[in-house]
Amino acid sequence: MTAEQFADRHIGPDPDDERRMLETVGYDSVDELMDAAIPEVIRWHGTLDLPAPASEREAIAELRALAARNTVAVSMIGLGYHGTHTPAVIRRNVLESPAWYTAYTPYQPEISQGRLEALLNFQSMVSELTALPVANASMLDEGTAAAEAMTLARRAGRSKSPVYVVDADTLPQTIAVITSRAEPLGIDVRVLDLGVDELPAEFFGLHLQYPGASGAVRDHAGLVEAAHAVGALVTVAADLLALTLLRPPGEIGVDIAAGTTQRFGVPMGFGGPHAGYLAVRAGLERMLPGRLVGVSRDADGNPAYRLALQTREQHIRREKATSNICTAQVLLAVMAGMYAVYHGPDGLRAIARRTHDMAARLAAGLRAVDGVEVVHDAFFDTVLARVPGRAEAVVADAAGRGVNLRLVDGDHVGISCDETTTAAHLRKVWDAFGVPAFDGAGGDALPDDLRRSSDFLTHPVFRSHHSETAMLRYLRRLSDFDYALDRGMIPLGSCTMKLNATTEMEAITWPEFAHLHPFAPESQTAGYRELIGQLEAWLAEVTGYDAVSVQPNAGSQGELAGLLAIRAYHRDRGEGHRDVCLIPSSAHGTNAASAVMAGMRVVVVACDADGNVDLVDLDAKIDKHRNALAAIMVTYPSTHGVYETGIAQLCAKVHDAGGQVYVDGANLNALVGFAKPGKFGADVSHLNLHKTFCIPHGGGGPGVGPVAVRAHLAPFLPGDPSGAHVDSRPAISAARYGSAGILPIPWAYLRMMGAEGLTRATGVAVLAANYVAARLRNHFPVLYAGNKGLVAHECILDLRPLTKATGVSVDDVAKRLIDYGFHAPTMSFPVAGTLMVEPTESEDLAELDRFCDAMIAIRAEIDKVGSGEWPAGDNPLANAPHTAAMVSGDEWSHPYPRSVGAYPGTVDRMAKYWPPVRRIDGAYGDRNLVCSCPSPEAFES
Ligand SMILES: *Cc1c(COP(=O)(O)O)cnc(C)c1O
C-alpha cells in the first residue's frame, strides 16, 4: 500500500470510475484526452516545481509551525480593525459549518432562503444602525465601500465638479483606496482638515469618518448642510458599534453610509475577510452597487426572499456598469448579522457602553500624569494621547508588554478599546505611559447633543434568539432551508464548485491567524508573511508569471488591479494615450466593468459561430484602434468552456499593435499543470482562489483574486494601503494582503496536492465535463466544442431549440432540478437560454451519473409537454419546484400524480431535499421593493 495521498480524497472518481468515464468519452487515458483537447501551441510539458505533496497531518503540522511564528498581541491599534469575541455558537455553526460556507451565491432563491434571510438580517442591521432605509448585502471592505460611495455620489449628485473632498481624519487606508479609484476616473480628491480648512466652492461629494480615525467624535450636521447647499452628496464612514450610542448619520440627512462590520464578531484575520457595508437614503436604492436581498412572493403568494433588482447587476450592464463588484463577503455578513441577532439591541448597547467606559477610564488615567495630554474630549473607543517627542518610546514600551498601540507621529499615540479590552490591558497601557496606580472612574466622553435617542433593531428576529439554544436552532433552521455542497453537487459553470476540504479550512480559526491586526509590527507576523510568500511563489509557478499580489479581495478586484498595472505601464513608457480595451462579446460582465473603472474605453470583439473570438473582427478592431490599443481581456479557456486554438495568434496580434494581453484566469481549473498563461503569451491574469484553489464560496464570498503579472508589469502591482511603505502603487483593498485570514486554505490545497495531484485534478475536471457532455449530447445539444469535439472543464447545454418547440424554459429546467435534488447549473451565461455545467474533479462517478440521469429524465418530461400529454402551463416543469406543503395539500388538481411532483426519477425518498418555498416571482418584489426584515405578520397564511 502506498501512503495515503490527499489528492485521492480531493478527486472524486477512483481509477475504476475514471476508466468507465474514459470509455464513454472514447479515450484510453486522461493524458491522451488532454493531448487531444488542449491545443499544442499553448501546451506546457514540464512538471510543476512545487514541494512534494504533504499529507493532511503534515500540512497541519507545517501550518502549526507557521502559526507559531506569528505573535498574538493585544491589539489597540484601531483604525477600523478591532478585537471582537466571535460567539462560539456562531463560529462553530456558521464559520465552521459547511452548510453555510459551501453554499453558492443565492441566484437560485428557492434553495437559498436560509442565507437570504441571514443577509436580510444583515441589511436590516446596517439600515437601522445607520438610520438609512436601504443597505446592500455586503461590500468587500471599508476602503472599497467608501470608494463605491464616491462613484455613487458622482452619478447621483447634481454637481458637475470633479472635486471629491475627504476629511483628513479618515482612515489612512480608506484615503489610499479612494485615491487609487479616483485617479483613472478623473476625480480630483482633496484631503482637507475640515476642523481648520474651508470647503472648496464646488465639489460633488464629501467623505467624513465617524468617529474620526483619531477617535474624535464631531458633529457633522453643519458640513452636511454646507455640502448639500452646493449639490454635493455626503458619505459618512461610520462605526456601527458606536452608532448604538451615537446619533446615526441618517438623522442628519447624510446620503450614504459606508464602513465595515468586522467588529461584529468577525476576527481581524491580518486584514480580512470582513463584510463592508453600504447604505443609502431613499431615492438612491436603484443606484446602489452590489447585491440587494429583497422580499417578494412565491407561486402560492407566500413571502419569499430573492436578490432584488437583478437587471442592474454588473453582469447585465457590462460596459455601462458603474461597479464591478460580483463576489462580496456573504459568509462574513452572515456572521455579523448573527452577532446582532444573538446580542440584540440591548446586548450591542452594553458592549458599546463597556467599550466606551474602558476608553474613558483609560483617558482619565492618562490625564492623571504629567507630560501626557488627551487631545480630544469627545470620543467613543479611541483615545489620542499627546506625548511630545516620546510617542515612539511609548509604543515600543507597550509592545514589550504585549500591547500594540498606534504610532500616529513622533508626538501622538492612538489607543483603541474594544469588547476584548480588560482592566489588565489598561494597566499595561498606563505602565507604558508612566501612569502610577490609578483606580479613578472614567466618566462619559460622549457629547450630550450627539447621543442616540432613536431605537434600533426593533424587529423580533433581533429580540428572540438570545439564548444559545435558540440561536443554535435558528442557525440550524436557516441552513436546513438551503442547498450547499454538503448536500450534493453544484454544477455551476464558471464557478468551479469543488471540494473545500476540512483540513484546508482548519487553520483559519486558529488565533495566530485569526487575531492579527493588519498593521501589527512585522516582528509579530513572520509566519503570515512566509505563508504568503510561499503561496505567491507557488501561484507564480502554476501560472508561469513572475510576480503575484494576493491583495485583491475578489476576481473583480484582481481585474481592476491588472488593468491598472497595464495602464501604469503604458504611461510609464510615455504611451498614456493607450486607453482602448478589447473585450470579446462572451466575456464575464466584470471584465467590461473593470475596464471602465480603470479609465479605459471598451470595444467589443465579436465571437464566431463556434463561439471563438472572431479573429477577422479582432483584426478590424485592432486596425481601427491601433494607436489607442491598451489591452485585450480574454478568458481562457473561453467563457464558452472551450480551448480556443487561436489564443496564441490573438496574443501575437495584440502585442504587435502595442497592446497588453489580460487573460481572465477564472477558468484556471482547466489549465493547471497543462498550460501556463504567463508562458503562452499573456502579460497579466487574475486568479480566483475561491474557484480553482478551494476557498469556499461562502454563499457569495469571501473570495481572493490575486493578480499575477510578467516581470515588466511587476513594478505596478498593488502597494501598501496603510502608507507604511510609501510608493505610487495603487491600493486595491484596505489591507496590504487583502483577505489574508483565508490564505491558509489555498496554501493547504497546493501543499497537499503537489505537482502530480494538481495536474491529475485538471485532467479529471476536463474528463468529467466531457463525460457529462458525452452522456447528455443526445438529449440536449452541447453548444460549443473545440479540438476533436471536446470541451474543456465545462459544457454548455443548449435548451433554446427545446424551448422554442415546447415552451419549457431554461428556468423551468433549473427549478425542476431542485425536485431531483440538484442545484441548477449556470443559467443563461454566457449564452441566454442555455445551461453551463461544470462538474469539477471532486464529484465521483455516482454523483455525475445521478446528475446526468436527472437531466435525461427531465428531457423525457419536456417531451411529454411537447407531445401535449401534459398541458403547457400545468406540468411538473412549470410547477417546479414542488414543496412538501404543495404535494401533501388536501387539494391536488394537476394532471400528474403527486409522486411525480415530489419524487421524480430515482430520488431517494429518505434523503429528499425539500425547498421551503415555491417558485419566486422576482418582478413582483422589484415593483414593491422591501429590503429589510418583513414583519412576522407577512408570513401568516
Ligand atoms: C467568477 C468570474 C469572475 C469574477 O470573479 P469575482 O470573484 O466574482 O469578482 C470574472 N470572470 C470570470 C470568467 C468568472 O468566472
Side-chain angles (χ1 to χ4, degrees), residues 799-890:
L799 271 78
R800 293 170 300 182
L802 280 171
T803 300
K804 203 157 169 232
T806 65
V808 174
S809 70
V810 65
D811 225 31
D812 295 333
V813 173
K815 304 309 176 194
R816 186 60 173 153
L817 274 168
I818 299 173
D819 290 333
Y820 282 83
F822 284 98
H823 189 295
T826 296
M827 252 171 56
S828 292
F829 171 82
V831 182
T834 66
L835 290 173
M836 183 158 64
V837 182
E838 180 180 359
T840 85
E841 71 276 13
S842 295
E843 300 298 341
D844 61 22
L845 181 57
E847 185 70 354
L848 296 175
D849 278 338
R850 194 171 73 89
F851 175 74
C852 293
D853 293 344
M855 288 300 292
I856 292 166
I858 287 174
R859 171 60 214 260
E861 292 181 343
I862 296 173
D863 289 341
K864 287 190 183 178
V865 178
S867 70
E869 185 177 334
W870 284 336
D874 189 3
N875 58 65
L877 290 140
N879 293 330
H882 296 75
T883 58
M886 179 191 183
V887 296
S888 63
D890 296 331

Side-chain angles (χ1 to χ4, degrees), residues 326-327 494 554-556 559 588 590-591 635 639 664 666 686 688 690-691:
C326 180
T327 290
S494 211
S556 62
E559 292 174 19
H588 194 274
T590 52
N591 289 183
T635 302
T639 48
D664 179 328
H686 78 269
N688 288 50
H690 45 303
K691 293 176 181 170

Side-chain angles (χ1 to χ4, degrees), residues 662-686:
Y662 188 116
V663 166
D664 179 328
N667 289 347
L668 203 74
N669 212 42
L671 297 180
V672 176
F674 290 90
K676 298 183 172 191
K679 295 280 184 264
F680 66 62
D683 301 289
V684 45
S685 289
H686 78 269

